[in-house]
Amino acid sequence: MDLFKRRKVDIGFLQEVRYRGQGTRVCGGEEKYKFWWRESVEGRNGVRIIVKECIVEEVIEVKRLDEKMMKIVVVCRRKILHVFSV
């Protein structure tokens, strides 16, 4: 999480996540991040989306399209953004 804080990243995607199953979690120190993950069937090549806590309220939808693809829908200044991790 320190890397995201140093780079001032609000929304990030990670590949090759090795968590089991799928779910959400909140973590971090003074700046908290919420992340959603989904593991692939074989137990590798999962996907994780990380969102800064101040933006979490603007998230409309997180959709797991495939074992390697996820989509997040965020409201940003009266516009709706569809962001994909492929």
Side-chain angles (χ1 to χ4, degrees):
M1 295 304 137
D2 292 333
L3 175 67
F4 288 102
K5 182 180 174 184
R6 281 195 317 263
R7 303 284 181 170
K8 298 179 182 176
V9 174
D10 294 333
I11 299 174
F13 296 90
L14 297 173
Q15 302 291 327
E16 304 294 329
V17 177
R18 297 181 194 263
Y19 288 127
R20 294 283 179 211
Q22 61 185 13
T24 64
R25 181 176 291 165
V26 176
C27 66
E30 60 187 58
E31 287 191 14
K32 296 192 184 289
Y33 290 86
K34 182 172 184 175
F35 60 90
W36 292 264
W37 75 87
R38 179 178 180 166
E39 174 195 37
S40 70
V41 177
E42 299 94 28
R44 54 192 180 110
N45 302 328
V47 180
R48 180 166 70 168
I49 297 176
I50 300 175
V51 178
K52 197 171 185 178
E53 186 180 37
C54 62
I55 299 176
V56 169
E57 295 177 4
E58 305 300 325
V59 173
I60 297 173
E61 175 185 23
V62 176
K63 190 170 186 179
R64 295 153 178 99
L65 303 171
D66 192 354
E67 63 185 26
K68 293 185 181 181
M69 294 188 300
M70 289 181 80
K71 173 179 106 169
I72 186 169
V73 181
V74 181
V75 175
C76 180
R77 297 182 189 167
R78 294 186 284 165
K79 294 184 181 181
I80 297 177
L81 301 175
H82 297 263
V83 185
F84 293 85
S85 173
V86 180

